[in-house]
Amino acid sequence: MERNIQTRAIVLSVRKYGELHKALTILCPDLGLLDVIIFGGRKGKKTALAPLFSINDLQIYHNPVKKEYSVTEGVSTFIPQAINEDLGCTYTAAFFCEILTKSPTDEPNQTFVLLENALTELEKRPQLRRRITISFIWNLMQISGTAPDLEACPVCDRRYSDDEVLHFSNPMIVPCCRSCADSEYLVLPPGARRYLRYTAGMDIASSVEVQLSEAAESRIYNYMLRWAGLFSQTQLRTLNELLNF
Ligand SMILES: [Zn+2]
């Protein structure tokens, strides 16, 4: 790898690194997830560099001997404001970042674009955070290649009827027909299934335009959060914060 790297990067998390420095986890279109250090990032003019949830053009220095990446310069092209002023949106952005950190995809470029769209929509329309979350999770499943078509049961291949309620297969982590189900944890009603089928393949900006009643939105939102919790196959700290919010 080159010693000097120029890349776009979204900041997924920020931690202290010693008394004076900061360590970040960033998502880059080509490099995927990367841990980087900002030396002197906790004092002086470098404190403003690459804040949490920001989108940046960064210069990174790679020290192959120490196996260390450090940010030498950076310009933010997006800095969240509305997101930071609304607790629900802050939890939502943190959830997006945590799931991408703990369950990285093999498609960093598409994942980068998805998170970029999710954060900019959240900033523009914080009141639509639930729909943005539904679309983010649904798109993430499509990118990872695990999203079912919701037309036929993935276990027995039988086509669903229009008014069929879907149950859930824990081993496959997908909705399935009642006879193939081994769990009553997640139940998907026909209207919710229609919404997910209709919005499959839509980007976040388009899918949040699709009208949903408040009750349906809340039902699908809770469903998708729980599904994402199983899908990520790890404990997500931010998921409980969102489910209890
Ligand atoms: Zn089945």
Side-chain angles (χ1 to χ4, degrees):
M1 194 180 275
E2 302 263 332
R3 287 199 167 214
N4 288 297
I5 306 160
Q6 171 109 34
T7 182
R8 297 191 73 211
I10 305 177
V11 180
L12 306 186
S13 67
V14 180
R15 306 170 292 284
K16 283 185 187 175
Y17 186 75
E19 283 305 301
L20 301 172
H21 318 301
K22 274 197 297 206
L24 318 177
T25 300
I26 57 173
L27 176 67
C28 309
D30 296 324
L31 304 166
L33 291 173
L34 206 59
D35 284 322
V36 296
I37 301 163
I38 302 180
F39 286 108
R42 299 186 57 214
K43 287 230 168 107
K45 65 177 168 54
K46 278 197 171 169
T47 49
L49 191 61
L52 185 61
F53 310 140
S54 64
I55 305 174
N56 310 272
D57 290 317
L58 296 184
Q59 299 263 17
I60 294 170
Y61 175 72
H62 176 214
N63 183 329
V65 181
K66 291 185 177 169
K67 295 189 175 129
E68 186 178 82
Y69 295 87
S70 56
V71 179
T72 49
E73 265 181 79
V75 178
S76 298
T77 54
F78 169 86
I79 293 179
Q81 281 178 13
I83 292 174
N84 292 344
E85 284 160 11
D86 180 292
L87 194 55
C89 286
T90 308
Y91 284 160
T92 302
F95 165 73
F96 295 162
C97 293
E98 187 182 9
I99 195 168
L100 294 184
T101 308
K102 292 189 174 166
S103 315
T105 71
D106 297 330
E107 304 286 346
N109 200 15
Q110 289 182 50
T111 311
F112 180 92
V113 173
L114 176 64
L115 183 60
E116 181 180 35
N117 289 342
L119 292 173
T120 46
E121 281 300 313
L122 201 56
E123 178 72 18
K124 255 193 292 187
R125 297 195 272 188
Q127 73 283 7
L128 293 183
R129 72 171 181 88
R130 287 171 177 241
R131 284 192 213 173
I132 294 168
T133 306
I134 294 168
S135 179
F136 174 85
I137 295 169
W138 195 213
N139 269 288
L140 184 60
M141 288 173 177
Q142 325 267 336
I143 291 172
S144 69
T146 57
D149 63 12
L150 301 178
E151 288 181 44
C153 171
V155 185
C156 68
D157 282 336
R158 181 179 61 74
R159 282 188 80 78
Y160 302 127
S161 63
D162 283 348
D163 56 356
E164 193 162 337
V165 174
L166 304 196
H167 295 256
F168 205 81
S169 161
N170 269 321
M172 292 179 71
I173 323 177
V174 283
C176 66
C177 79
R178 181 169 209 145
S179 16
C180 296
D182 60 359
S183 159
E184 291 296 313
Y185 178 57
L186 286 167
V187 173
L188 190 67
R193 176 159 62 98
R194 267 195 299 280
Y195 176 83
L196 290 177
R197 283 185 58 195
Y198 185 72
T199 56
M202 273 189 197
D203 63 15
I204 293 178
S206 315
S207 60
V208 297
E209 296 292 344
V210 178
Q211 287 309 304
L212 262 184
S213 73
E214 213 177 301
E217 180 182 291
S218 157
R219 201 159 44 230
I220 302 172
Y221 172 75
N222 279 291
Y223 184 94
M224 293 307 275
L225 282 182
R226 289 183 162 85
W227 187 2
L230 299 172
F231 162 84
S232 71
Q233 296 184 294
T234 170
Q235 204 69 25
L236 298 171
R237 183 183 47 81
T238 52
L239 184 63
N240 286 329
E241 280 170 349
L242 270 187
L243 283 168
N244 296 324
F245 184 69

